[in-house]
Amino acid sequence: QVQLVESGGGSVQAGGSLRLSCAASGYTYSRYSMGWFRQAPGKEREGVAGFYTGDGSTNYADSVKGRFTISRDNAKNTVYLQMNSLKPEDTAMYYCAAASGHLFGLSKLIPRLYNYWGQGTQVTVSS
């Protein structure tokens, strides 16, 4: 049973930073894709950043490029999302997700391609 547990959300002022963590357990695949997604009230879930463990490739939504960084700690089986220069429009529930196999390029940012989801962590950015 794959489990993903997010943490690290909170409230911050515009321009601030947060680091989200996603602890993964129960994954039996040696290679898989991980993604961070967000969903604001009344909006569709959107991909923010994606990562493939096989080659370390990453992809980002245009709205977060240069501000957000996805990374992985193999020893801790944890994926992180470092978020800098936060804006009020970054306010949303953030979810991590996992998918078996290699999601190429921007397909890493497509929610329906992911099999497993965490429960989410709220990020609120005030102006």
Side-chain angles (χ1 to χ4, degrees):
Q1 182 78 14
V2 175
Q3 286 193 320
L4 303 173
V5 180
E6 302 99 332
S7 61
S11 296
V12 65
Q13 288 192 326
S17 298
L18 284 173
R19 188 178 78 158
L20 306 183
S21 300
C22 174
S25 62
Y27 221 93
T28 59
Y29 300 99
S30 60
R31 298 287 184 264
Y32 52 94
S33 299
M34 296 288 296
W36 282 99
F37 297 82
R38 66 186 182 187
Q39 188 167 19
K43 295 188 176 181
E44 291 188 358
R45 190 168 298 190
E46 63 172 348
V48 173
F51 176 93
Y52 175 57
T53 63
D55 59 10
S57 59
T58 59
N59 290 89
Y60 296 92
D62 287 343
S63 57
V64 306
K65 272 182 186 175
R67 300 189 298 123
F68 291 12
T69 303
I70 187 171
S71 62
R72 180 174 182 252
D73 184 327
N74 292 333
K76 296 182 179 180
N77 217 16
T78 298
V79 175
Y80 302 99
L81 185 68
Q82 177 67 43
M83 305 186 296
N84 299 327
S85 302
L86 282 161
K87 304 176 181 180
E89 51 263 43
D90 295 317
T91 295
M93 184 71 79
Y94 282 71
Y95 301 89
C96 73
S100 59
H102 190 176
L103 296 180
F104 291 89
L106 292 177
S107 66
K108 294 183 185 70
L109 305 184
I110 300 175
R112 62 177 172 82
L113 298 181
Y114 284 79
N115 312 98
Y116 305 100
W117 291 84
Q119 82 289 350
T121 185
Q122 179 68 37
V123 171
T124 303
V125 184
S126 58
S127 57

